[in-house]
C-alpha cells in the first residue's frame, strides 16, 4: 500500500434526481489533481450509466463505481459492463462492488442474501474467467450456473465476443466486517471501507495481512489500494461542523438494516461505541431522528470524520496519513474541492 494520500471525488447517491453540479465537480476534481471519481447505487439511480455519461467529459481521471450492487446483475452482466466502460475510457475503469445488506438484496433486488462471502468469492471468480477470455465459461458453482443446467438444454459455454482492453480490470470490494476485509485483500485489488477510524488501523492491517498471505502473491500488499470515504466539514465551530455529520452517522448506525442485522452498527460497536449506537438505534427506529443524531458525541464524529478549522483538520490528518488508507474519497459541491485539495495534498 502506498504512502502518499491521493484524492478521489464521490458524486454520491442521487436524491430525487441527478446531483446538482456533478459534472462541474468532476471536471474541477480532474483539474485539481484528484485521481479518481466514483458513483454509487442502492435502489434508485445505477452506478454505471452516470459514470459513462460524466466520464465521457474527462480525459485522465480514473472512473470507479462505489459500489455496484452484486445482487443487481449476474456476474456476466457486470463483466460486460466493466469491459465496455474500460474500453470507452481507455483503461480508466475500476469496478467497485459489494453485497449490500439483506433489506436491499432481498427487498429491492429480490435475490437471496445468505452466504455473502462465499457468493462474493464465486462472483469474482466468474468475472475473472470472463475477462481472461482464454476459454468459454463453463462454471457450475453454488450460486452461479453457466451454462444453466436444466432449462431447454440448449445453453452452451460461451466466450465474450469483445476482447477486454485489460484482462486485469481492478476490483475494489466494499467491506466492513473482518472476514470481508480479509477477502478483499485475498482476491481483489482494493478495499473500500466505510466509517474507518485511524485508531482501528492495526485491526484492519491485521485483516488485510491475513488476506495478502492467503492470496499467495508476495507483492500484493505494495499494489493494494484502500479508497476510503471521509467526510470533511471545515468551519470555526467544531460542534456545528459535527452537527453536519451527526445525522449521517445516525442514519447508518441506527436506521440502516434491521436490529441485529446492521453492519454499520457493528463497526461502531467494535470502535467502543456500542452503548451509543444502541441508543441511537433505539431512537431512530422510534422515528426520533433528530434525537438520535443529537445522541452522537463529538468523539464519535471525530473518529470517522474531519471537522473544524483548517489548522485543526491539518493536525488531525497526521494520524490518518499513518493508516493503511491510500485514497481519501470526498464529496461536496465544486466550490469545496480546492479546499480539500489544499488540505490533503499540500
Amino acid at each position: 500500500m502506498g504512502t502518499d494520500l491521493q484524492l478521489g471525488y464521490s458524486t454520491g447517491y442521487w436524491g430525487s434526481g441527478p446531483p446538482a453540479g456533478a459534472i462541474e465537480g468532476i471536471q474541477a476534481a480532474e483539474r485539481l489533481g484528484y485521481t479518481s471519481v466514483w458513483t454509487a447505487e442502492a435502489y434508485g439511480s445505477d452506478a454505471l450509466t452516470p459514470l459513462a455519461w460524466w466520464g465521457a467529459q474527462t480525459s485522465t481521471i480514473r472512473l470507479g463505481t462505489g459500489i455496484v450492487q452484486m445482487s443487481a446483475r449476474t456476474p456476466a452482466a457486470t463483466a460486460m459492463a466493466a469491459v465496455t466502460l474500460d474500453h470507452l475510457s481507455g483503461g480508466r475503469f475500476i469496478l467497485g462492488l459489494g453485497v449490500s445488506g439483506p433489506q436491499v438484496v432481498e427487498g429491492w433486488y429480490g435475490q437471496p442474501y445468505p452466504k455473502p462471502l462465499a457468493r462474493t468469492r464465486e462472483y469474482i471468480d466468474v468475472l475473472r474467467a470472463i475477462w481472461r477470455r482464454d476459454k468459454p465459461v463453463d462454471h457450475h458453482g453454488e450460486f452461479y450456473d453457466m451454462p444453466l443446467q436444466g432449462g431447454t438444454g440448449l445453453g452452451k459455454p460461451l466466450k465474450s465476443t469483445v476482447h477486454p482492453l485489460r484482462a486485469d480490470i481492478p476490483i475494489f470490494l466494499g467491506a466492513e466486517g473482518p472476514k470481508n476485509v480479509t477477502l478483499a485483500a485475498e482476491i481483489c485489488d482494493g478495499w473500500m471501507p466505510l466509517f474507518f477510524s485511524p485508531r482501528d488501523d492495526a485491526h484492519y492491517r491485521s485483516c488485510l495481512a491475513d488476506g495478502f498471505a492467503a492470496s499467495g502473491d508476495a507483492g500484493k500488499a505494495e499494489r493494494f489500494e484502500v479508497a476510503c470515504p471521509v467526510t470533511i466539514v471545515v468551519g470555526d465551530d467544531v460542534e456545528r461542523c459535527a452537527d453536519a455529520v451527526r445525522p449521517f452517522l445516525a442514519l447508518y448506525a441506527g436506521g440502516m438494516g434491521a436490529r441485529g442485522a446492521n453492519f454499520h452498527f457493528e463497526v461502531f460497536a467494535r470502535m467502543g461505541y456500542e452503548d451509543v449506537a444502541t441508543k441511537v438505534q433505539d431512537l431512530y427506529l422510534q422515528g426520533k431522528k433528530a434525537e438520535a443524531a443529537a445522541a452522537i458525541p463529538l468523539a464519535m464524529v471525530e473518529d470517522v470524520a474531519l471537522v473544524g478549522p483548517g489548522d485543526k483538520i491539518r493536525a488531525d490528518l497526521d494520524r490518518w496519513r499513518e493508516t493503511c488508507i491510500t485514497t481519501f474519497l470526498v464529496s461536496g459541491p465544486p466550490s469545496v474541492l480546492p479546499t480539500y485539495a489544499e488540505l490533503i495534498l499540500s
Side-chain angles (χ1 to χ4, degrees):
M1 292 174 283
T3 55
D4 294 330
L5 275 177
Q6 299 183 29
L7 265 177
Y9 179 51
S10 293
T11 60
Y13 296 107
W14 291 26
S16 58
I23 186 57
E24 292 82 6
I26 291 167
Q27 292 175 332
E30 188 171 51
R31 290 194 303 271
L32 289 164
Y34 288 59
T35 57
S36 55
V37 59
W38 301 80
T39 54
E41 68 181 19
Y43 44 96
S45 61
D46 77 290
L48 295 160
T49 309
L51 193 65
W53 185 268
W54 294 329
Q57 301 178 65
T58 65
S59 58
T60 59
I61 200 165
R62 298 167 81 192
L63 308 174
T65 54
I67 57 174
V68 155
Q69 302 271 338
M70 281 174 41
S71 53
R73 301 165 188 84
T74 64
T78 298
M80 291 164 63
V83 166
T84 304
L85 263 172
D86 202 47
H87 265 292
L88 292 174
S89 65
R92 292 187 282 142
F93 182 64
I94 303 169
L95 177 62
L97 58 87
V99 296
S100 190
Q103 285 189 324
V104 174
V105 172
E106 297 180 356
W108 183 253
Y109 294 112
Q111 299 295 314
Y113 183 77
K115 299 185 178 180
L117 269 70
R119 190 182 302 272
T120 299
R121 182 183 293 276
E122 188 175 330
Y123 196 100
I124 292 174
D125 282 347
V126 177
L127 294 178
R128 302 284 196 202
I130 292 172
W131 294 340
R132 283 195 301 271
R133 205 180 173 274
D134 55 352
K135 59 184 177 181
V137 178
D138 194 358
H139 176 95
H140 304 286
E142 182 178 0
F143 307 100
Y144 304 104
D145 199 20
M146 299 171 64
L148 180 68
Q149 299 179 99
T152 64
L154 299 176
K156 66 176 185 178
L158 297 172
K159 185 164 62 173
S160 172
T161 61
V162 176
H163 293 242
L165 181 66
R166 296 182 295 171
D168 57 349
I169 295 172
I171 298 174
F172 287 21
L173 187 64
E176 293 177 85
K179 292 181 180 179
N180 213 15
V181 175
T182 297
L183 183 68
E186 179 187 350
I187 67 174
C188 297
D189 307 285
W191 168 44
M192 301 185 76
L194 188 60
F195 302 123
F196 181 98
S197 172
R199 65 192 180 98
D200 284 341
D201 184 60
H203 162 71
Y204 288 124
R205 284 185 185 270
S206 176
C207 295
L208 293 170
D210 289 345
F212 296 145
S215 75
D217 182 345
K220 188 167 192 180
E222 297 177 6
R223 304 190 307 272
F224 196 79
E225 299 184 59
V226 180
C228 180
V230 181
T231 301
I232 303 175
V233 183
V234 183
D236 293 333
D237 188 321
V238 176
E239 283 288 354
R240 288 189 64 183
C241 292
D243 284 341
V245 182
R246 286 185 168 104
F248 175 70
L249 301 189
L251 168 63
Y252 277 78
M256 287 284 190
R259 194 184 299 276
N262 182 333
F263 308 114
H264 315 299
F265 177 98
E266 294 170 10
V267 171
F268 289 110
R270 283 195 297 271
M271 285 184 207
Y273 293 108
E274 184 169 2
D275 290 345
V276 173
T278 299
K279 181 179 181 180
V280 168
Q281 188 176 65
D282 289 343
L283 290 167
Y284 208 96
L285 295 179
Q286 293 171 31
K288 300 176 180 179
K289 298 180 181 180
E291 292 178 43
I296 293 174
L298 177 61
M300 184 169 160
V301 174
E302 290 183 316
D303 264 335
V304 297
L306 292 161
V307 294
D311 288 344
K312 175 183 179 295
I313 289 176
R314 288 187 184 90
D316 290 345
L317 268 168
D318 288 344
R319 64 190 185 120
W320 289 84
R321 295 185 191 280
E322 295 173 357
T323 70
C324 61
I325 294 172
T326 60
T327 300
F328 268 33
L329 303 185
V330 299
S331 59
S335 59
V336 302
L337 300 188
T339 300
Y340 294 163
E342 192 274 330
L343 285 170
I344 295 169
L345 299 180
S346 64

